[in-house]
Amino acid sequence: MSKRVNITGISTSSLPKLTAKESLEMIKEIKAGREDLRETFLMSNMRLVLSGVQRFGNTKESSDDLFQEGMLGLIKALDNFDTSLNVRFSTYAVPMVLGEIRRYVREGTALKVGRNLRDVAYKAIQARDKIERERVQEASLSEIAEEIDLPLREVVSALDAIAEPVSLYEPVFSETDEGMQIIDQLRDPETEEDRTDVMTLREGIRTLPEREREVLIARYYKGKTQTEIARALRMSQAQVSRLEKSAIARLKEAF
């Protein structure tokens, strides 16, 4: 008898199974617009998440919370998987699932978010992805709240609660303060040192290659995730990550 694992009320013995070939065909259909197959596909690959959660059994974090983080990784893997590459979906998905769980565990010392808020945020992210897949325009918070039938205030609170902490030294972009860092808005902007730093950073941003500049602005001004940027620019998340790191490295050299 196969070992049964129960997390958040889900048992592996009840999950559907797909062969590698069936998974590939289903992904192609989903990307072609078959949204009705999306839930079935995620359920069929949920064992990857459950297996990932078991690897972190020595942490103090709740298995249910780890499971939700792993599911976010699975969703990202589905959204970004390239069917033209000769790679099994599980091979691509496992690192993304583990990465999301590992990030959550690593940030475990940060502010804790209640289970209810995390549940709402999880639903909101799924709703946002669903809305944006159906059209090009970015989903508004009001549309997300309507999609999951919850008050706007509750959706905003949930998404704010899971937002990653921002460094005071992150760049802030605007029409009037291009190249400023968050800390520049908190301290006296009239010092010579501040003005020099702002000018140096502004000039560094102007000299960035176009793609790196686009990624940097989308990431830190528009608040987009790497997955969202990858979808908008039609490239892989790994490419976006490399462009972001390269842009930051160039700006550091400018200083």
Side-chain angles (χ1 to χ4, degrees), residues 51-217:
S51 176
V53 170
Q54 289 181 319
R55 297 192 189 189
F56 294 85
N58 60 342
T59 68
K60 297 181 180 179
E61 306 297 338
S62 162
S63 294
D64 287 348
D65 289 340
L66 297 180
F67 173 78
Q68 287 198 22
E69 295 301 321
M71 283 302 299
L72 289 177
L74 184 63
I75 292 171
K76 290 180 180 180
L78 172 58
D79 289 340
N80 292 280
F81 185 68
D82 188 345
T83 56
S84 66
L85 301 178
N86 188 25
V87 178
R88 292 169 63 98
F89 175 75
S90 58
T91 302
Y92 177 78
V94 168
M96 297 195 73
V97 168
L98 294 178
E100 288 297 315
I101 297 176
R102 191 175 292 113
R103 178 190 58 77
Y104 174 75
V105 172
R106 185 174 64 246
E107 296 174 357
T109 54
L111 292 175
K112 296 294 183 180
V113 179
R115 174 66 187 280
N116 290 339
L117 275 178
R118 296 195 68 83
D119 286 344
V120 172
Y122 177 65
K123 293 177 181 177
I125 291 173
Q126 285 188 307
R128 181 190 63 193
D129 289 345
K130 177 178 180 294
I131 294 171
E132 293 182 352
R133 281 194 305 272
E134 295 173 350
R135 65 181 194 193
V136 178
Q137 187 177 352
E138 183 177 349
S140 68
L141 290 173
S142 297
E143 290 171 329
I144 294 172
E146 183 178 353
E147 176 71 22
I148 60 179
D149 195 25
L150 286 174
L152 175 61
R153 181 180 66 255
E154 191 171 337
V155 172
V156 172
S157 298
L159 292 176
D160 284 346
I162 65 169
E164 294 185 11
V166 178
S167 167
L168 289 176
Y169 294 94
E170 296 287 4
V172 175
F173 297 86
S174 70
E175 294 181 358
T176 57
D177 296 322
E178 180 184 359
M180 290 191 68
Q181 294 176 320
I182 292 176
I183 196 171
D184 292 325
Q185 298 181 331
L186 303 178
R187 62 189 182 191
D188 182 7
E190 297 303 319
T191 66
E192 184 63 32
E193 180 181 358
D194 286 345
R195 286 198 296 271
T196 301
D197 285 349
V198 170
M199 291 175 63
T200 303
L201 184 56
R202 180 179 298 147
E203 186 61 30
I205 292 171
R206 287 195 182 120
T207 60
L208 289 176
E210 182 180 358
R211 277 300 197 189
E212 291 183 8
R213 189 166 59 249
E214 287 178 346
V215 168
L216 207 65
I217 291 174

Side-chain angles (χ1 to χ4, degrees), residues 240-254:
V240 172
S241 178
R242 285 195 293 270
L243 287 170
E244 181 181 346
K245 289 179 181 178
S246 176
I248 292 175
R250 291 178 193 272
L251 292 180
K252 286 182 178 179
E253 288 179 6

